[in-house]
Each structure stands twice: as structure tokens, then as C-alpha cells.
């Protein structure tokens, strides 16, 4: 009989999120669509302004060229001496030849400047049109992807209804191929397939919690967060606590040497952690991988960052993880808040540093913003 352990709860968190309106996939698509529509509106206005600017520059070029030639033609036909008396008497500085020379010197450079401005505006127009067309394409593609996501969501909900009523008769491949569309790992696909094909207490217990709390009007995301916390607490309560006898130390002249278990207990005690807060399986796991320096460093790291040490409960491997700091920095630098990590520590357990980098690159390659994708979707 499968119990509602943190691992099972984590898979169900992800599955139930994908079943609701606030599915991370649908929410992310909506954000991308809104962003693309904003880009489309902005670039449409920019295109209109650039087209108008180019038209005005082309007109200016034409007028400078045409009027410049006419003016040179007129000035070239004027002999200043024919108007010398009037010009000198009225002290008018008019020198047709000098003006023609100035036109010959300055007009081409002015026209070249207008040409350059036109070329810059045309290049900018190409970029703006490309950005606008990409936004339009994105909107169209998101419409298609959303239809597919809704179809997949409908099929997922159908599978759950069949499982919860004991009428599921679909193949394992049908479930795994569907979950693959939601970017589940192969291991997650297998575990989820087991939950649906052979529904046990874990699934029914989780579903009851969700339905009970949905009646309060909370979103499924809030319900899942509360259900996750409750399931972890219940798991801890169910686990039997084994009382370990404190080691008896005899007074000796030489330095006392503890065995590994004593050293582990003493290390946790110095950090203010009661080893009895962990179940026997977790204690055995920590003991098998215990390194006092790594454990002390990881405890100091979480204290320094303000993350509660209760993050280790249900995630004991984080205590001896020699890549913990690097993985935290990777996620924080991608835009995640420390609170995100506190609420979803399983992502730190699930991936090594390199595997986490690969997963983040995979998310980015799919056009998604790391900052916006919830950790439960990793």
C-alpha cells in the first residue's frame, strides 16, 4: 500500500497542478501570449512611425536635390556687376559665385546625411518588422500549443476520474506518452503511471485533501501548497521515532574518539538540530554519507541565507550534498526567490549541479523564462 510520502506527494503536486486552470503550462503560455501581444502592439506603432519617417526623409532628399539644382542654375545666371550699384548702396552681401561654390560643397554632404538617416530608418524598420512578425507567429503558435495543452489536460483529467472510480483500463504506454508531453522525466512517468493504474491510499488521501480545501474557494495552487505541507507533517508523525542510547564516555587521559554515529549526533547537536526529528531511514542514510565538514558547511549555508533547517526533514540528502551551495546559486541567479527553494526543496534533491544546468537550458530552449517557470515544473 503506497503511503503519501513527500516523494509521492511531489508527483501528485505536479499532476494536480496540470489538471487545473492555474496549470504552470497554461499560466506560462498566457504570460508569453500577453508579452507577445504587447510586442505586437509596440512594434506595429514603431513600424508606422518609421514608415512615416522614411517617407519624409525621401521627400526631403528629392526636394534638396531638385531645389538645389534649380538654385545653382539661377545663381549661375546672375552677374553681380549687373546689380553692383544697388547691392553696394544697400550694403547687401550677395555673391552668386560664392553661393554656387557653397552649394557645390555643402549640398552633396547634406544629401548624404539624409541618405544615411534614411538607411538607418530602413534598417530599423526591417528589425521592427521581424520582431513584429515573430510576435505574430508566437501568438499563433501559442494558440495551437494551448489547444494541445487543453486537450492533454482533458485527457489527464479523464485518466484521474477513471483511476479514482476504479474504472481505469488504459495501458501504461498511454499514460507515459501523455506525461511525456508535460515534460515528466522517465522516472516520474513510471511512478505516476503506477499511481493511476493501481490507485492506492496515497492517491485517494491526496484527492480528498484537494477537494476538501477547494471548497474554501482557494486556487488549486494554494490547495496543493497546503496539502503538500500537511502530507509531510503527517508522514513525520507516522514514522516511528527510535530512541538511541546516549554514548557512555569514560574518562581517559588521551583524546576521546567517537564512532561515526556519535560524531553525527554531536555535529547536529552543535547546530541545534535534534537527530530524533529524523526517521530511522533518514538517520541511516545520513550516517552512510556523513562528512562533518560538508554537513556543517551546509547547515551554516542555510542559516546564512535565512532558509529554515527544517528543509532537511524529508530531504536528508541536502545535508551531505557537496553541491548544495552551487545549486542554490544557480536557481537564485535565474530569478528564483529563497522562499521558492524553501517551499520546493525537492528540486535540489532531484538534480545534481550539472543535471540542473541541463534542465534549465532545456527550459530556456523551449522559449520559457526561468524566472516564471515554477520549481515544481522542473
Amino acid at each position: 500500500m503506497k503511503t503519501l510520502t513527500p516523494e509521492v506527494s511531489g508527483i501528485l503536486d505536479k499532476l494536480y497542478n496540470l489538471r487545473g486552470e492555474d496549470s504552470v503550462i497554461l499560466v506560462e503560455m498566457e504570460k508569453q501570449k500577453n508579452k507577445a501581444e504587447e510586442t505586437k502592439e509596440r512594434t506595429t506603432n514603431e513600424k508606422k512611425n518609421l514608415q512615416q519617417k522614411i517617407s519624409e526623409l525621401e521627400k526631403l532628399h528629392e526636394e534638396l536635390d531638385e531645389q538645389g539644382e534649380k538654385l545653382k542654375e539661377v545663381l549661375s545666371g546672375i552677374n553681380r556687376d549687373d546689380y553692383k550699384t544697388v547691392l553696394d548702396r544697400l550694403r547687401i552681401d550677395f555673391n552668386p559665385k560664392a553661393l554656387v561654390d557653397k552649394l557645390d560643397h555643402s549640398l552633396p554632404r547634406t544629401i548624404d546625411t539624409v541618405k544615411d538617416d534614411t538607411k538607418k530608418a530602413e534598417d530599423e524598420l526591417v528589425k521592427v518588422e521581424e520582431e513584429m512578425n515573430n510576435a505574430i507567429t508566437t501568438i499563433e503558435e501559442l494558440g495551437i500549443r494551448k489547444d494541445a495543452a487543453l486537450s492533454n489536460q482533458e485527457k489527464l483529467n479523464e485518466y484521474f476520474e477513471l483511476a479514482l472510480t476504479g474504472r481505469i483500463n488504459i495501458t501504461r504506454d498511454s499514460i507515459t506518452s501523455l506525461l511525456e508531453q508535460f515534460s515528466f522525466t522517465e522516472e516520474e512517468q513510471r511512478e505516476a503511471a503506477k499511481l493511476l493504474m493501481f490507485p492506492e491510499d496515497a492517491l485517494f488521501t491526496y484527492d480528498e485533501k484537494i477537494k476538501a480545501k477547494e471548497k474554501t474557494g482557494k486556487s488549486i495552487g494554494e490547495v496543493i501548497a497546503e496539502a503538500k505541507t500537511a502530507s509531510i507533517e503527517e508522514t513525520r508523525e507516522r514514522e516511528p521515532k527510535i530512541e538511541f542510547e546516549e554514548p557512555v564516555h569514560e574518562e581517559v587521559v588521551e583524546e576521546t574518539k567517537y564512532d561515526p554515529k556519535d560524531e553525527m549526533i554531536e555535529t547536529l547537536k552543535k547546530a541545534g538540530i535534534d537527530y530524533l526529528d529524523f526517521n530511522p531511514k533518514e538517520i541511516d542514510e545520513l550516517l552512510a554519507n556523513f562528512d562533518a565538514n560538508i554537513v556543517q558547511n551546509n547547515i551554516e549555508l542555510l542559516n546564512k541565507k535565512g532558509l529554515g533547517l527544517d528543509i532537511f526533514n524529508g530531504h536528508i540528502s541536502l545535508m551531505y550534498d557537496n553541491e548544495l551551495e552551487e545549486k542554490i546559486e544557480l536557481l537564485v541567479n535565474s530569478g528564483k526567490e529563497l522562499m521558492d527553494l524553501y517551499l520546493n526543496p525537492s528540486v535540489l534533491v532531484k538534480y545534481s549541479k550539472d543535471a540542473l544546468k541541463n534542465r534549465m537550458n532545456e527550459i530556456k530552449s523551449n522559449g520559457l523564462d526561468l524566472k516564471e517557470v515554477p520549481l515544481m515544473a522542473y
Side-chain angles (χ1 to χ4, degrees):
M1 184 175 293
K2 190 176 286 293
T3 58
L4 194 54
T5 63
E7 292 75 17
V8 173
S9 180
I11 292 177
L12 288 172
D13 286 346
K14 193 171 179 179
L15 285 167
Y16 270 75
N17 171 268
L18 295 170
R19 295 184 63 193
E21 294 180 359
D22 55 352
S23 158
V24 292
I25 293 177
L26 295 178
V27 170
E28 180 60 28
M29 282 185 181
E30 189 62 24
K31 288 181 180 178
Q32 290 185 43
K33 180 185 176 185
N34 291 339
K35 184 177 180 181
E37 287 177 342
E38 290 174 1
T39 299
K40 177 186 174 183
E41 182 179 359
R42 171 178 57 79
T43 52
T44 298
N45 292 332
E46 289 179 357
K47 177 182 178 179
K48 181 180 178 181
N49 293 335
L50 283 168
Q51 288 176 326
Q52 182 178 349
K53 181 178 180 180
I54 291 170
S55 177
E56 291 173 351
L57 286 169
E58 289 175 342
K59 182 180 179 182
L60 176 60
H61 180 193
E62 182 181 344
E63 290 178 347
L64 284 171
D65 198 27
E66 181 181 338
Q67 293 177 18
E69 289 301 318
K70 286 183 179 179
L71 183 56
K72 284 196 293 181
E73 184 179 348
V74 171
L75 291 172
S76 297
I78 297 176
N79 186 344
R80 187 183 188 285
D81 291 340
D82 292 343
Y83 309 98
K84 185 176 185 303
T85 301
V86 174
L87 295 173
D88 290 346
R89 187 68 179 177
L90 298 178
R91 297 180 180 180
I92 297 175
D93 184 15
F94 176 64
N95 188 333
K97 185 178 184 307
L99 289 173
V100 170
D101 290 342
K102 186 172 183 179
L103 281 170
D104 286 336
H105 177 72
S106 300
L107 185 59
R109 292 197 304 179
T110 301
I111 291 176
D112 285 342
T113 299
V114 174
K115 286 181 179 179
D116 289 341
D117 289 343
T118 304
K119 180 66 166 57
K120 289 177 183 177
E122 288 173 341
D123 290 343
E124 183 63 23
L125 178 61
V126 171
K127 293 179 182 178
V128 167
E129 287 181 328
E130 183 178 3
E131 187 178 7
M132 181 184 70
N133 291 334
N134 287 340
I136 293 172
T137 301
T138 297
I139 293 170
E140 293 173 350
E141 289 178 347
L142 283 171
I144 297 172
R145 286 170 53 194
K146 184 174 182 179
D147 289 342
L150 289 172
S151 176
N152 288 335
Q153 184 184 66
E154 183 179 354
K155 188 178 294 184
L156 180 64
N157 282 327
E158 178 187 344
Y159 288 176
F160 264 89
E161 291 305 316
L162 290 172
L164 290 167
T165 55
R167 296 183 292 112
I168 196 161
N169 58 356
I170 52 179
T171 64
R172 177 180 176 277
D173 288 343
S174 297
I175 298 176
T176 55
S177 61
L178 173 63
L179 296 179
E180 188 177 3
Q181 304 301 311
F182 292 115
S183 299
F184 274 62
T185 65
E186 290 186 3
E187 182 180 352
E188 289 173 332
Q189 291 173 31
R190 288 195 296 270
E191 288 302 314
K194 290 177 185 176
L195 287 169
L196 290 172
M197 294 181 71
F198 310 103
E200 299 181 10
D201 285 355
L203 177 59
F204 296 113
T205 299
Y206 190 97
D207 190 69
E208 287 172 4
K209 290 179 182 291
I210 293 292
K211 289 178 178 176
K213 292 182 179 179
E214 279 181 335
K215 294 178 181 178
T216 63
K218 296 178 180 178
S219 71
I220 193 168
E222 294 172 315
V223 172
I224 287 174
E226 292 181 8
K228 180 180 179 181
T229 301
S231 66
I232 292 174
E233 291 299 322
E234 289 176 5
T235 299
R236 290 177 59 190
E237 291 175 3
R238 285 197 300 267
E239 294 286 357
K241 290 189 176 181
I242 307 300
E243 297 290 337
F244 289 91
E245 294 183 3
E246 292 292 338
V248 177
H249 305 292
E250 297 181 358
E251 293 186 3
V252 292
V253 176
E254 297 181 357
E255 179 183 357
T256 303
K257 294 184 179 180
Y258 295 147
D259 65 26
K261 184 183 293 184
D262 295 330
E263 185 182 11
M264 178 192 73
I265 293 172
E266 188 64 23
T267 299
L268 296 180
K269 184 177 180 181
K270 286 180 180 178
I273 299 175
D274 186 350
Y275 71 95
L276 294 176
D277 285 342
F278 303 102
N279 63 53
K281 182 179 178 182
E282 290 175 317
I283 293 173
D284 289 342
E285 180 183 344
L286 178 58
L287 187 59
N289 298 277
F290 185 73
D291 183 305
N293 290 330
I294 293 176
V295 170
Q296 289 170 356
N297 289 338
N298 286 347
I299 291 173
E300 290 173 5
L301 170 67
L302 296 193
N303 281 330
K304 181 179 178 181
K305 293 189 174 295
L307 287 167
L309 297 183
D310 58 338
I311 198 174
F312 293 129
N313 296 111
H315 308 92
I316 197 68
S317 64
L318 295 181
M319 196 173 283
Y320 58 83
D321 187 346
N322 60 4
E323 296 181 331
L324 181 60
E325 183 171 11
E326 294 170 289
K327 290 190 284 188
I328 289 176
E329 291 304 316
L330 275 174
L331 292 168
V332 170
N333 290 336
S334 74
K336 295 302 177 189
E337 301 290 338
L338 291 173
M339 182 56 70
D340 295 330
L341 303 184
Y342 178 75
L343 295 175
N344 299 277
S346 58
V347 72
L348 296 170
V349 175
K350 181 178 180 181
Y351 295 103
S352 66
K353 178 186 67 177
D354 291 337
L356 180 58
K357 284 182 180 178
N358 292 336
R359 178 56 178 154
M360 294 167 75
N361 289 332
E362 180 184 344
I363 291 172
K364 289 192 290 186
S365 68
N366 288 329
L368 302 178
D369 185 346
L370 287 173
K371 185 177 181 180
E372 301 298 334
V373 178
L375 289 178
M376 69 168 59
Y378 273 57

